[in-house]
C-alpha cells in the first residue's frame, strides 16, 4: 500500500514538474513574441518620419512612398498572435523600406540630410534589434515545441492544452538582409 502511495506521489510530482516546465516555456515564448512586437512597433513609428523626410526630396517617387505607408498599415493590422501572418507582412514592409533607402542614392541632397541620416541609423538599429528578438523568440518557441512533442511531456502537454508555437520566419530570402545604409 505504501509503495502504491509513493508511486502515485512520485507520478503526481513528476506531472507537476513537467507542467511547470511547460508553463515556463510558454511564458518565455510569449515574452519573446512581445519583444518582437516592441521592435516592430519601433520600426513602424520611424516610418512616417522617414517618409516625410524623403517626400521633400523625391516628391515624384510618390508610389514608392505610398506603398511603404500601405504596407506599414497592413503589418500593424495583423493580429498580434498571428506569427506567420506578421512575418509575411513585415517581410513585404522590409522590402519596401529597402526601396526607400535606395532612393537616397539618386538624391545626393537627401543622402546628406541630417534627419535622413539619423533615420537611416535608427532604422538599421531597429532592424538589428528585430533580428535579435526574432532569434530569441524562435529559441523560446523551439524549447516549448520540444517539450510539447517529446515523450513523456507530450502526454501532459496534450492533457493541459499546450500547443506548439510557430516560428517567426521570413519566407523570401531577399527579406532576410538588413537594408543597406551607405553614406
Amino acid at each position: 500500500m505504501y509503495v502504491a502511495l509513493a508511486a502515485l506521489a512520485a507520478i503526481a510530482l513528476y506531472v507537476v514538474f513537467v507542467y511547470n516546465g511547460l508553463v515556463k516555456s510558454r511564458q518565455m515564448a510569449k515574452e519573446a513574441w512581445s519583444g518582437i512586437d516592441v521592435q516592430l512597433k519601433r520600426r513602424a513609428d520611424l516610418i512616417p518620419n522617414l517618409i516625410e523626410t524623403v517626400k521633400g526630396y523625391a516628391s515624384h517617387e510618390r508610389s514608392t512612398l505610398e506603398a511603404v505607408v500601405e504596407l506599414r498599415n497592413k503589418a500593424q493590422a495583423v493580429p498580434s498572435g498571428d506569427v506567420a501572418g506578421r512575418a509575411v507582412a513585415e517581410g513585404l514592409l522590409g522590402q519596401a523600406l529597402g526601396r526607400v533607402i535606395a532612393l537616397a542614392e539618386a538624391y545626393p541632397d537627401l543622402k546628406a540630410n541630417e534627419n535622413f541620416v539619423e533615420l537611416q541609423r535608427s532604422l538599421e538599429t531597429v532592424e538589428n534589434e528585430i533580428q535579435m528578438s526574432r532569434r530569441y523568440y524562435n529559441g523560446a518557441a523551439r524549447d516549448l515545441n520540444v517539450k510539447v512533442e517529446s515523450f513523456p511531456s507530450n502526454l501532459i502537454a496534450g492533457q493541459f492544452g499546450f500547443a506548439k508555437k510557430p516560428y517567426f520566419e521570413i519566407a523570401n530570402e531577399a527579406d532576410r538582409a538588413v537594408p543597406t545604409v551607405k553614406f
Side-chain angles (χ1 to χ4, degrees), residues 8-20 151-153 156:
L8 280 175
I11 291 171
L13 285 173
Y14 180 75
V15 168
V16 167
F17 177 76
V18 171
Y19 177 84
N20 287 340
F151 182 81
S153 62
I156 297 165

Side-chain angles (χ1 to χ4, degrees), residues 10-70:
I11 291 171
L13 285 173
Y14 180 75
V15 168
V16 167
F17 177 76
V18 171
Y19 177 84
N20 287 340
L22 287 163
V23 168
K24 179 182 177 186
S25 292
R26 182 175 57 192
Q27 291 305 315
M28 289 188 72
K30 283 181 180 180
E31 174 206 0
W33 178 250
S34 175
I36 289 176
D37 214 25
V38 166
Q39 297 307 322
L40 293 175
K41 173 77 170 115
R42 283 181 59 205
R43 178 170 70 174
D45 290 346
L46 281 172
I47 291 172
N49 295 330
L50 183 66
I51 296 301
E52 286 304 314
T53 302
V54 173
K55 271 184 186 177
Y57 291 90
S59 58
H60 65 282
E61 303 284 356
R62 189 168 207 72
S63 63
T64 301
L65 303 176
E66 287 173 353
V68 171
V69 171
E70 181 183 334

Side-chain angles (χ1 to χ4, degrees), residues 116-131:
F116 185 74
V117 170
E118 182 58 35
L119 288 167
Q120 279 184 306
R121 285 187 191 129
S122 296
L123 184 59
E124 183 177 14
T125 299
V126 168
E127 292 295 335
N128 288 332
E129 293 290 328
I130 290 170
Q131 180 186 30

